[in-house]
Amino acid sequence: MRNRIRELREGAGLTQDQLAAQLRVTRQTVNAIENDKYNPTLELAFRLARFFGCPIEDVFQYSQRGKDQ
Protein backbone atom coordinates (compact mmCIF):
# COMPACT_ATOMS: atom_id res chain seq x y z
CA MET A 1 0.00 0.00 0.00
CA ARG A 2 1.36 3.41 -0.92
CA ASN A 3 0.51 6.58 0.93
CA ARG A 4 0.83 10.36 0.66
CA ILE A 5 1.30 11.02 4.38
CA ARG A 6 4.68 12.76 4.03
CA GLU A 7 3.43 14.94 1.17
CA LEU A 8 0.28 15.91 3.08
CA ARG A 9 2.16 16.48 6.35
CA GLU A 10 4.79 18.67 4.73
CA GLY A 11 2.11 20.54 2.79
CA ALA A 12 0.44 21.34 6.11
CA GLY A 13 3.76 22.55 7.52
CA LEU A 14 3.86 19.89 10.23
CA THR A 15 6.73 17.88 11.65
CA GLN A 16 6.35 14.18 12.32
CA ASP A 17 6.19 15.00 16.04
CA GLN A 18 3.36 17.49 15.52
CA LEU A 19 1.33 15.08 13.39
CA ALA A 20 1.91 12.27 15.87
CA ALA A 21 0.67 14.45 18.73
CA GLN A 22 -2.49 15.33 16.79
CA LEU A 23 -3.18 11.64 16.08
CA ARG A 24 -2.10 10.44 19.55
CA VAL A 25 0.55 8.08 18.17
CA THR A 26 4.34 8.13 18.39
CA ARG A 27 6.63 9.92 15.95
CA GLN A 28 8.07 6.48 15.17
CA THR A 29 4.63 5.33 14.00
CA VAL A 30 4.31 8.31 11.65
CA ASN A 31 7.83 7.68 10.37
CA ALA A 32 7.15 3.98 9.77
CA ILE A 33 3.93 4.73 7.87
CA GLU A 34 5.63 7.38 5.73
CA ASN A 35 8.45 4.96 4.87
CA ASP A 36 6.09 2.07 4.03
CA LYS A 37 7.38 -0.03 6.91
CA TYR A 38 4.01 -0.17 8.66
CA ASN A 39 0.44 -0.18 7.42
CA PRO A 40 -1.80 1.65 9.87
CA THR A 41 -4.88 0.11 11.37
CA LEU A 42 -8.11 0.94 9.61
CA GLU A 43 -9.03 3.28 12.46
CA LEU A 44 -5.74 5.19 12.17
CA ALA A 45 -6.05 5.34 8.37
CA PHE A 46 -9.46 7.00 8.72
CA ARG A 47 -8.13 9.38 11.40
CA LEU A 48 -5.32 10.41 9.04
CA ALA A 49 -7.75 11.00 6.18
CA ARG A 50 -10.08 13.01 8.43
CA PHE A 51 -7.20 15.04 9.80
CA PHE A 52 -6.09 16.04 6.30
CA GLY A 53 -9.67 16.53 5.08
CA CYS A 54 -9.32 13.99 2.26
CA PRO A 55 -11.11 10.82 1.26
CA ILE A 56 -9.13 7.82 2.45
CA GLU A 57 -8.51 6.86 -1.20
CA ASP A 58 -6.57 10.13 -1.64
CA VAL A 59 -4.27 9.25 1.24
CA PHE A 60 -3.73 5.53 0.65
CA GLN A 61 -3.50 3.66 -2.63
CA TYR A 62 -3.54 -0.12 -2.67
CA SER A 63 -1.27 -1.78 -5.17
CA GLN A 64 -0.82 -5.46 -5.75
CA ARG A 65 2.85 -6.32 -5.89
CA GLY A 66 3.96 -6.79 -9.46
CA LYS A 67 0.78 -5.39 -10.99
CA ASP A 68 0.18 -1.75 -10.08
CA GLN A 69 3.69 -0.62 -9.24
Side-chain angles (χ1 to χ4, degrees):
M1 179 167 29
R2 295 186 214 168
N3 71 72
R4 297 178 50 226
I5 302 300
R6 177 172 301 172
E7 173 188 341
L8 293 166
R9 175 182 59 76
E10 289 175 349
L14 297 171
T15 65
Q16 287 182 343
D17 281 320
Q18 290 168 327
L19 178 59
Q22 290 292 316
L23 298 170
R24 295 184 300 274
V25 298
T26 65
R27 183 200 56 80
Q28 290 85 353
T29 297
V30 172
N31 183 272
I33 294 168
E34 286 186 357
N35 291 297
D36 296 321
K37 295 183 182 200
Y38 172 73
N39 288 327
T41 63
L42 188 56
E43 177 187 352
L44 181 53
F46 274 104
R47 285 186 2 226
L48 280 157
R50 244 182 267 124
F51 179 81
F52 289 115
C54 307
I56 197 165
E57 298 87 2
D58 288 351
V59 180
F60 297 94
Q61 295 86 40
Y62 176 75
S63 66
Q64 295 178 342
R65 296 204 185 270
K67 286 192 173 188
D68 297 328
Q69 292 188 21

